[in-house]
Structure formats: structure tokens, C-alpha cells
Amino acid sequence: MLRLRTPLLAMGAGALAVAGVLSAPAAGAADGAVTVLASGLEGPREIQFSSDSKLVVAESDNGRVTELNVRNGRTKALATGLTALQGVDARGSALYVAQGETGIGIGDPTDPAQGFNLAEVKHGDVTLVSDLLAYEKANNPDGQAQYAPNGNPYESLSNPYYVLADTSKILVADAGANVVYSVDRKNGRTKTWFNPGVVTTGACEGLPNNPGTVGCDPVPTGIAKAPDGTYYVSTFQSEVPEAGRVYHVRADGSVIDFLDGFSSPTGVAVGDDGSVYVSEMLHGFPGGSEPPPPGADPSDIGRIIKVAPDAERTRTYAQVTMPSGLAFHDGALYASAWSVAVFIGMPSAGQVVRVGDAAFEPAA
């Protein structure tokens, strides 16, 4: 039941020394491999394409859903004033939003009408679809101890983070509950669709957890549907370096296999050829749990990993600053970038970028 935390969130705003002249590239800027399509966003997390090929962006820091035309860079607000916004997907005229933990104190996330839930936004009205915190309290799908003897929860019980609006169901990756839920679009009936389980091998072996549990909580953070109708789910794995996984899952939630060796993955996408893209938002974060060195450049933090569909599952790497959400559409990969820049004192540095094949290179 680990909440989705990062070194940046733990340190708070201003923790990373930022040179006075440093700023995020403006929209339209490109280096030949990564093109900035929108800038000035506030905490962009999940991105998804709507049925009319517009990109919807969850701006976590201001509670706004923004629509981006990736062809001309024009943006408009589709919804505002949402509490603890983390994920968004569009289906027809409806937006489905995950309201979890932003870490910056917008609204009251303990109110079921505002936080820890799946909500629908349609024609300006916000309707509760599923109270995921209530479901967790009643069903405890990961089976871990929830409350200490004093009545306080050991850790976050629910943190809805990512949404995939499928044909008849909505999948929600709940990073606090450690499961992916399936929610019926018509009646809100909720059930556990995929329970990755605690990892107890490798670097996770013997790690302390809630009473009665040992190992790394999975902490699911991303969902992508592949062209063949299967799914991929990224799991943060309690922030343990190289312990993160991406599970390949059937439509019924059963596991086909998984990829491992990722460090705190926060997003996943699948290309037309079966390539799997995984974002590591904090790769290269200087200093680990210690204060970073003076003058550290935050633009070097983060990368996207491409796992090829060949027999060796060859990996190549693209440097994208603090990438979070990923989406693959019409032969191109898109990412939200500078996603947690508010925690280093850059509140409006968020971007959406297009990442070309030329950006991916073998590891140095």
C-alpha cells in the first residue's frame, strides 16, 4: 500500500539547485529527435489520445485537463478545478479522471467526492463513477495489513494514478492499493482486474513492508493496450532501483510474462510493431537520497526506454526530462515531460514532447 513517492516529492520544492539561466525549451523547439509540442504546463502526468486524435493531458498541479492538437500545437482547457488530478482518458464526449495524491495540497483528497476515486467529466459536470478508497477499505485486494493498532493506516490505502478507458470498462492503476481495477462504464461496478503481487526476489528480497508482508509493493503506474488486444502494466516497485517491472497481461487480467530491470517506471506505451516504451521519470536524479550537488542540471533527469520486439528484447534509451505519461499514436511516440518540475521550483515548466526514433541510442 505504498504511496507513489519520489526523492523530489520527499525533498520538497527547491531541493535541487537550478541555475538562474536554466529554463525548459519553448513549444516548437526541437533537437532533431525530441520536439516540444506544448510548454508552460503545470505538472503534466498522463496523456491519452481521444477519438478525434487530440491529446488530452492531466495537469496535476492545477487540476486541469488540457486538450492539445499535436499538429499545430493549439491547446484549450477541457476541464478545470479538479482535485488531486493524476490520470485522464477520453471516450466520446466524456473524460474519465483519476483523482489521487498530487503532493501539493489541492482541495481535500479525503473527500470521496473529490479524491481517491474515478470520476467522469461531461459537459462541465463531474460525476463520481467509483469510490476507489471505499472499495479498498471494504475489500483490501492486495491482502496487506491496512491499519495500525492506533487506527491509523500504515500507508496510503489508495492513490488512483492512471486511467485507460476501454470499450466497456475503465481500467485504473491504483498505486496505493497495489492493483489495477476494472470499472464498468455504465454502472460503476468495480472489481480487481490485475493484482501484480509483492515482489520478493532480487533487490526486493527481505525488504521490510507492512506487518506480515516482506518485499516490494508493486505500485502500478501505467497501462497501455497493445495492437493485439493485450495490455501492458508498469509497476513502480517501491522505488527500488532496477526492481520495476512491466507486465504483459491478457484481457482477463492474467499474466503472459513481464519485463524487469526498470527504475521506478511511471508510464508505458506500445508501438505498432510491438515495441514497448517505458518512462523512468527520475533516472539520473543526482544525489540519491542525499541533497544533490550545487548547480546540478535538472534537464538531465529522466529517460525513456524502448524495448524492441526482437528475441533479445534489445533496449535503447532516449533522454527526455522527467517523463511521466506516454502515448503512441499514428506511428509516433509522445510523452509528458518536466512532469514534477514544481518540486524543484519550476511550477510551469511542464511539456508535451514528440520523441522520434533518432532519440533512442544504446546505453553509454
Side-chain angles (χ1 to χ4, degrees):
M1 299 171 187
L2 180 71
R3 68 171 50 86
L4 184 64
R5 293 180 296 226
T6 69
L8 289 179
L9 301 187
M11 288 181 178
L16 184 60
V18 181
V21 297
L22 183 66
S23 62
D31 64 3
V34 178
T35 303
V36 180
L37 303 178
S39 57
L41 304 177
E42 298 184 34
R45 298 291 199 272
E46 182 177 359
I47 58 175
Q48 290 279 13
F49 276 90
S50 63
S51 57
D52 60 354
S53 295
K54 302 291 178 53
L55 195 67
V56 291
V57 184
E59 292 190 64
S60 181
D61 298 348
N62 59 16
R64 178 174 62 203
V65 177
T66 296
E67 179 185 86
L68 168 65
N69 187 323
V70 298
R71 295 178 179 174
N72 58 28
R74 293 175 183 167
T75 61
K76 68 176 181 180
L78 297 181
T80 59
L82 295 167
T83 298
L85 176 64
Q86 295 280 34
V88 65
D89 200 0
R91 176 66 65 166
S93 60
L95 297 171
Y96 294 97
V97 296
Q99 296 177 285
E101 295 179 348
T102 66
I104 62 173
I106 294 178
D108 179 10
T110 64
D111 180 354
Q114 299 188 61
F116 304 122
N117 64 40
L118 174 70
E120 179 188 75
V121 184
K122 194 171 185 178
H123 306 308
D125 296 325
V126 182
T127 304
L128 179 67
V129 177
S130 179
D131 185 337
L132 299 178
L133 178 58
Y135 186 92
E136 158 68 22
K137 289 180 177 179
N139 297 278
N140 191 18
D142 72 350
Q144 293 191 36
Q146 293 177 308
Y147 297 99
N150 63 5
N152 293 327
Y154 284 112
E155 296 199 81
S156 178
L157 298 179
S158 179
N159 182 14
Y161 192 76
Y162 204 92
V163 180
L164 177 63
D166 216 342
T167 51
S168 61
K169 63 180 180 292
I170 307 164
L171 300 178
V172 185
D174 192 320
N178 288 316
V179 298
V180 179
Y181 292 117
S182 174
V183 181
D184 190 287
R185 289 180 59 201
K186 293 183 178 180
N187 57 31
R189 186 175 294 115
T190 302
K191 63 181 181 181
T192 300
W193 177 74
F194 175 49
N195 184 349
V198 173
V199 173
T200 59
T201 58
C204 296
E205 183 176 359
L207 288 184
N209 203 311
N210 294 336
T213 302
V214 175
C216 297
D217 286 345
V219 192
T221 52
I223 315 166
K225 190 172 185 178
D228 65 359
T230 60
Y231 300 80
Y232 287 82
V233 177
S234 57
T235 58
F236 203 70
Q237 233 66 38
S238 301
E239 297 182 32
V240 174
E242 299 185 0
R245 292 183 175 184
V246 173
Y247 289 89
H248 190 192
V249 182
R250 298 180 182 89
D252 64 0
S254 60
V255 175
I256 299 171
D257 57 18
F258 64 86
L259 302 166
D260 58 9
F262 303 102
S263 294
S264 303
T266 48
V268 62
V270 185
D272 295 332
D273 65 350
S275 294
V276 178
Y277 299 88
V278 184
S279 58
E280 292 184 335
M281 186 169 64
L282 293 178
H283 176 265
F285 180 78
S289 61
E290 301 298 325
D297 184 353
S299 66
D300 292 334
I301 300 170
R303 69 179 181 182
I304 299 173
I305 302 175
K306 178 181 180 180
V307 184
D310 57 35
E312 293 76 23
R313 306 313 302 265
T314 303
R315 300 188 182 193
T316 50
Y317 307 84
Q319 201 285 313
V320 174
T321 303
M322 304 178 204
S324 183
L326 300 177
F328 194 91
H329 184 72
D330 282 345
L333 178 69
Y334 299 83
S336 57
W338 292 83
S339 296
V340 290
V342 66
F343 296 104
I344 58 171
M346 301 173 67
S348 299
Q351 302 173 340
V352 171
V353 301
R354 182 168 52 235
V355 185
D357 287 340
F360 291 92
E361 300 177 345

